[in-house]
Amino acid sequence: MIFNKQWLDELVPNSLSADEVSDIITMAGLEVDSVDPVTGEFSGVVVGEVLTCADHPDSDHLHVTTVRVGENEVLDIVCGAPNCRQGLRVACAKVGAVLPGNFRIKPAKLRGVPSNGMLCSAKELGLSEESNGIIEFPADAPVGTDIHDYLGLDDQAITVDLTANRADCLSIRGIAREFGVLTGTDVRYPEIPAVPASISDTFPAQVADTEGCPRYLTRVIRNVDLSRKSPLWMQEKLRRLGMRSLDPVVDVTNYVMLELGQPLHAFDLDTLQGGITVRKARSDEKIVLLSGQEASLSPDTLVIADDAGAVALAGIFGGDRTGVKAGTVNILLESAFFSPKAIKNRARSYGLDTEAAHRFERGVDYRIQAAAMERATRFILDIAGGEAGPVSETVCEEKLPQPERINVPFSLIKEVLGVSIERNAVTDYLTRLGMEPEVSGDAVSAISPSWRYDIAIPVDICEEVARMYGYDRIPNVDPVAPLRMIPRHEAQVSSWDVKSLLADMGYHEVITYSFVDDRSLSVLNPAEKPIILPHPITSEMNAMRTTLWAGLVNAALYNMNRQASDLRLFETGLTFISDPDAENGIRQEEMAGGLITGGSSRESWYGKPRDLDFYDIKGDVERLLEITSGNAEFDFVTGVHPALHPGVSAAILRNGEHVGDVGLIHPSVQKALGLKKKVFLFQIKMRALSVRGITAYADFSKFPSIRRDYAMVIDSSVPAARILNTVRRNAGALLQDVNIFDIYEGDNIAAGKKSVAFSVVLQSPDRTLEDSDIQEINDRIVSSLRESFGAELRE
């Protein structure tokens, strides 16, 4: 929100500088971004009157003029502006004047004709970014007066960065209300008397969606003259708040919006067909907007429609068919309250960002529509002439916001703020804020005013009191935070434990958006159909991620493009899977994922680094699984993941359940994603890592250990890790170690088979093992390998 100091001074008289005003409102929670002059730096520019204007003898576009700039001072000036003419009051830079950019005016000759000054455009004086000719002042502008004095340019524009809950300050009225309370000054609100109807004309209007539009006002105004110009004071106020003057109707609706915070809209009455209805858009309905853009409407969009179809996006933008144009004579003025829920995010879905939508989606004062209508009507009649009909109103009171009285004990205010504030001061603050306070015993009650949507509970009232009292007046007190031991089960593995371990292994954590490009998901995880967002932030963030790999690959690409060749990245977070059995049809699965690429170490004098391979990332995953103290529960089996190379990847199972994948990214996927080098990925469900075995102390055994060696003939496709895990699960508590020491394929071994030799070390903590104990364990190991893999003892 931008407001200028002079307009604020009109409403709240004060002798403060713009910087002092900024400090006051910033300390009250309205953060000021900048304080800027309302014009560029210039001097020596005065109001002049063009006495004569003739064509230049040697040019088809220049004019030779005589300009009166004082009672007895007339200058000869050559001007090229197309709108220069006799009798015009202009901005004249005399010889010696300095314009923005340190451009100094000197006597000159233009094609042989002397020129002793310059007639200036608004752009040349830094009053606007573009202009079509020299400035035209009203006929009563005092000749010879300095432009700064005439236009009141010794002013500053203050830009406030408002939070979404402070829509009440999206107007000079709201800013003045806040400033008046903060300075203890009464606000001089402009009087807005009702404009009596001079004609009886009305236009039929009905509201079909009272939930989205509880209040709708219209007024017919006939015989307006849009060729007239808005008064200079209005043009200047609009300019200083960042708006251009267009025509009287547009200028008035913009002015009232900036003054009161209520957006208005005007239709060309003669283009409306039948009556007006406020309703939801119909399926496949379209509208051509004032910008020329054609929009296909969604059924959840609130529109203003006549009998021929939609004529405006309610609270957002008008349609071209019924828009006010240069030839418009009769208008229908609209002032409405649209529910924030009906407008929120609608403008963005059509690629629009309008001042009206910005206000309506945050909430406008639901009691100010009639006053805004009267204010705009008065201005239009005074500027463009015409006759106004009566105001027609359609209202559904029960659908308007219903504020409730909030009771706040004075003790709560002291407890929350840490300082005691006098009761009279509290009630004065709340009265000035329009909250109608009532004191009862040791409490005060207040009502959220119609322009505030963010006050609903007692602490909101406490915050308002703190803002008005002044945060800087509340003493600094060190917070008291007694430590409390939070119970935590020893077997629980937190996400912090997982992150710390990965960081210890040299991985760097990345945090990426949960929104990704659906095209990358179709490559990395084609088995899962992604959830497409109806209103994405950008086209590259249009789907909820079904795998962490999408964000990790994007982060890797970003770094690779900036010459970071050796990468170890990890991320933990939620993935979002469509699941009809889950709540809202979406299953959220917390995952841990990682990516490595490049060399195993940095280049040094003793040799080049080895390229990372599958066993590097598999080793990292195995170390990660060790956090559960249950490696025997995990198996790496040959997996077929579409994003991974089928010969260099594995699925991770825990007790037979698929909980993750690890491997080299598939060459075709690598090419599709724009990766220039090999990348290895892993991903595992966090719940598979969330519980660990509790380590218990055990004394060293004093009794001898027994080693038994086995040679088993088994299918060549069976991984060694599965053999080890099977032995660990079946050998029992006496098992101390199991180790594969030989694998043989060749003579005396059938094709497709291999001989795997492994040792088993057994030991009891409290006795010497007997042959019967060893034989029992031996039988369990051999039978489990036979049942699981068809293995046989080698003869």
Side-chain angles (χ1 to χ4, degrees):
M1 171 64 188
I2 304 174
F3 69 93
N4 63 298
K5 175 68 166 51
Q6 287 183 5
W7 199 352
L8 179 66
D9 293 346
E10 293 176 16
L11 300 178
V12 187
N14 67 90
S15 59
L16 302 173
S17 68
D19 289 334
E20 290 171 326
V21 170
S22 300
D23 290 342
I24 290 173
I25 63 176
T26 295
M27 289 305 298
L30 305 180
E31 182 182 357
V32 172
D33 273 353
S34 62
V35 179
D36 303 300
V38 298
T39 184
E41 291 187 14
F42 63 87
S43 62
V45 182
V46 300
V47 176
E49 179 186 10
V50 179
L51 300 178
T52 63
C53 181
D55 292 339
H56 192 292
D58 294 326
S59 172
D60 58 356
H61 70 280
L62 294 177
H63 306 287
V64 178
T65 68
T66 56
V67 181
R68 183 168 67 90
V69 294
E71 193 161 335
N72 298 309
E73 187 178 5
V74 177
L75 303 177
D76 295 323
I77 297 176
V78 177
C79 175
N83 61 327
C84 183
R85 60 187 182 275
Q86 183 179 357
L88 188 65
R89 298 290 170 100
V90 295
C92 179
K94 300 192 293 184
V95 172
V98 180
L99 302 187
N102 200 30
F103 178 69
R104 189 174 296 275
I105 302 299
K106 301 176 182 178
K109 281 189 176 183
L110 297 180
R111 298 196 181 184
V113 177
S115 181
N116 297 302
M118 174 179 173
L119 305 187
C120 302
S121 67
K123 181 179 181 180
E124 289 162 339
L125 295 182
L127 297 176
S128 70
E129 294 184 359
E130 57 183 37
S131 57
N132 296 322
I134 57 177
I135 298 174
E136 298 186 22
F137 289 138
D140 59 354
V143 174
T145 302
D146 190 281
I147 296 299
H148 285 88
D149 297 331
Y150 178 60
L151 294 179
L153 294 179
D154 294 325
D155 189 13
Q156 290 180 302
I158 301 173
T159 303
V160 182
D161 185 12
L162 294 175
T163 51
N165 65 313
R166 294 309 306 271
D168 60 298
C169 289
L170 286 169
S171 66
I172 189 67
R173 181 189 183 96
I175 295 288
R177 180 170 48 235
E178 289 283 307
F179 187 64
V181 180
L182 294 169
T183 58
T185 308
D186 292 335
V187 182
R188 296 178 179 176
Y189 295 114
E191 294 185 6
I192 306 178
V195 178
S198 57
I199 57 176
S200 59
D201 296 18
T202 60
F203 193 82
Q206 60 179 336
V207 178
D209 187 348
T210 55
E211 193 76 39
C213 180
R215 174 173 281 142
Y216 192 77
L217 284 72
T218 58
R219 187 173 214 167
V220 172
I221 303 178
R222 292 192 178 275
N223 302 318
V224 295
D225 182 2
L226 297 189
S227 65
R228 301 182 187 180
K229 290 191 174 182
S230 301
L232 187 62
W233 64 264
M234 181 176 286
Q235 293 183 40
E236 267 299 290
K237 284 187 174 179
L238 291 173
R239 182 189 69 80
R240 295 178 195 188
L241 271 66
M243 291 190 171
R244 291 191 304 119
S245 174
L246 297 175
D247 63 56
V249 172
V250 173
D251 289 356
V252 165
T253 55
N254 284 337
Y255 180 87
V256 172
M257 178 183 68
L258 295 173
E259 182 186 45
L260 303 181
Q262 171 65 42
L264 304 169
H265 185 67
F267 300 97
D268 186 329
L269 182 64
D270 298 327
T271 62
L272 290 170
Q273 302 179 30
I276 271 184
T277 302
V278 184
R279 58 169 172 80
K280 289 286 178 59
R282 299 188 178 115
S283 180
D284 300 327
E285 192 169 15
K286 296 183 178 181
I287 182 175
V288 177
L289 302 172
L290 285 169
S291 61
Q293 169 190 346
E294 183 179 69
S296 297
L297 303 179
S298 302
D300 63 347
T301 301
L302 193 66
V303 298
I304 314 298
D306 63 6
D307 290 355
V311 296
L313 300 180
I316 300 175
F317 209 20
D320 182 69
R321 175 167 64 87
T322 59
V324 173
K325 299 178 176 63
T328 297
V329 177
N330 305 311
I331 66 172
L332 180 70
L333 192 61
E334 166 198 279
S335 179
F337 172 72
F338 299 113
S339 167
K341 291 182 180 179
I343 307 300
K344 193 169 185 178
N345 295 328
R346 301 303 192 280
R348 185 182 300 161
S349 68
Y350 296 106
L352 301 172
D353 183 15
T354 66
E355 293 286 344
H358 186 72
R359 287 163 172 78
F360 276 124
E361 68 181 4
R362 286 160 175 78
V364 302
D365 186 346
Y366 55 87
R367 293 179 178 171
I368 205 171
Q369 286 71 44
M373 175 69 80
E374 300 293 353
R375 185 74 162 162
T377 302
R378 182 74 277 160
F379 280 136
I380 291 174
L381 296 182
D382 289 346
I383 299 170
E387 301 87 39
V391 176
S392 300
E393 180 179 17
T394 301
V395 61
C396 181
E397 292 287 349
E398 58 269 22
K399 297 296 178 63
L400 289 169
Q402 305 296 324
E404 295 183 2
R405 189 163 285 277
I406 305 167
N407 192 64
V408 186
F410 286 106
S411 59
L412 178 64
I413 297 176
K414 181 178 180 180
E415 178 185 348
V416 172
L417 305 187
V419 63
S420 181
I421 301 176
E422 293 184 4
R423 296 187 178 192
N424 290 340
V426 171
T427 56
D428 181 58
Y429 297 150
L430 299 180
T431 299
R432 288 178 175 275
L433 287 170
M435 296 186 184
E436 304 175 18
E438 294 180 1
V439 176
S440 177
D442 292 330
V444 61
S445 63
I447 291 178
S448 175
S450 57
W451 53 85
R452 292 292 295 271
Y453 288 76
D454 59 329
I455 298 176
I457 56 179
V459 291
D460 293 333
I461 302 295
C462 297
E463 182 183 3
E464 293 304 298
V465 173
R467 290 194 317 106
M468 298 302 112
Y469 179 74
Y471 293 129
D472 54 337
R473 295 174 60 190
I474 299 175
N476 294 326
V477 178
D478 291 336
V480 178
L483 297 178
R484 181 170 58 90
M485 297 299 293
I486 300 174
R488 177 183 172 191
H489 198 286
E490 190 176 355
Q492 179 183 351
V493 178
S494 68
S495 60
W496 177 256
D497 296 327
V498 173
K499 292 179 181 181
S500 297
L501 179 56
L502 287 166
D504 289 344
M505 290 190 285
Y507 284 77
H508 293 276
E509 183 178 13
V510 297
I511 300 174
T512 65
Y513 285 103
S514 298
F515 315 130
V516 296
D517 188 351
D518 66 320
R519 290 171 295 184
S520 64
L521 291 179
S522 67
V523 175
L524 287 167
N525 197 19
E528 296 290 351
K529 185 177 180 181
I531 300 163
I532 303 298
L533 300 174
H535 309 302
I537 300 173
T538 68
S539 60
E540 289 78 24
M541 302 171 69
N542 66 337
M544 302 296 290
R545 66 186 179 194
T546 59
T547 173
L548 298 183
W549 289 348
L552 287 166
V553 168
N554 284 336
L557 271 171
Y558 182 89
N559 283 274
M560 288 176 182
N561 292 337
R562 286 154 183 81
Q563 298 180 320
S565 57
D566 299 331
L567 299 173
R568 285 177 178 267
L569 307 177
F570 82 90
E571 181 174 17
T572 61
L574 294 173
T575 57
F576 306 86
I577 311 298
S578 296
D579 186 348
D581 297 328
E583 185 178 358
N584 299 324
I586 302 173
R587 185 178 80 254
Q588 301 183 50
E589 186 78 63
E590 188 175 9
M591 307 291 287
L595 174 151
I596 65 173
T597 185
S600 60
S601 61
R602 297 185 63 182
E603 186 176 5
S604 66
W605 60 270
Y606 57 82
K608 293 184 178 180
R610 173 182 58 82
D611 288 341
L612 292 169
D613 59 26
F614 171 75
Y615 294 101
D616 288 296
I617 195 166
K618 180 174 179 286
D620 290 342
V621 172
E622 288 177 329
R623 186 175 171 189
L624 181 60
L625 299 181
E626 287 177 2
I627 201 172
T628 66
S629 303
N631 282 44
E633 299 176 1
F634 290 94
D635 287 315
F636 290 84
V637 300
T638 302
V640 185
H641 193 289
L644 302 178
H645 195 297
V648 197
S649 64
I652 305 170
L653 308 182
R654 183 171 192 179
N655 295 329
E657 179 191 359
H658 182 211
V659 294
D661 295 279
V662 59
L664 170 66
I665 197 166
H666 197 286
S668 63
V669 175
Q670 175 182 331
K671 182 178 179 180
L673 296 176
L675 295 166
K676 299 294 192 297
K677 57 196 304 186
K678 291 181 179 180
V679 168
F680 297 88
L681 299 165
F682 78 82
Q683 184 170 255
I684 187 167
K685 296 177 181 178
M686 287 290 284
R687 58 184 172 85
L689 305 173
S690 61
V691 179
R692 61 176 153 222
I694 300 176
T695 302
Y697 170 75
D699 199 358
F700 287 105
S701 176
K702 301 175 182 179
F703 301 93
S705 62
I706 302 297
R707 169 174 169 152
R708 289 289 185 268
D709 293 344
Y710 300 82
M712 306 292 295
V713 178
I714 196 168
D715 288 343
S716 299
S717 60
V718 177
R722 296 189 64 189
I723 297 173
L724 294 177
N725 286 339
T726 302
V727 173
R728 291 191 186 103
R729 284 195 290 263
N730 291 276
L734 299 180
L735 179 68
Q736 298 299 309
D737 188 30
V738 58
N739 178 55
I740 294 177
F741 61 84
D742 182 60
I743 296 178
Y744 172 74
E745 292 179 285
D747 295 341
N748 301 321
I749 301 297
K753 299 287 185 177
K754 63 183 176 181
S755 172
V756 179
F758 60 89
S759 63
V760 172
V761 178
L762 306 173
Q763 188 178 31
S764 172
D766 53 14
R767 64 188 176 88
T768 300
L769 294 177
E770 298 180 359
D771 289 344
S772 59
D773 299 321
I774 299 170
Q775 187 60 43
E776 181 185 353
I777 296 172
N778 174 77
D779 293 343
R780 286 206 308 267
I781 291 174
V782 172
S783 62
S784 64
L785 293 174
R786 182 180 293 121
E787 292 172 3
S788 299
F789 311 113
E792 296 293 341
L793 281 170
R794 181 179 176 186
E795 297 180 357

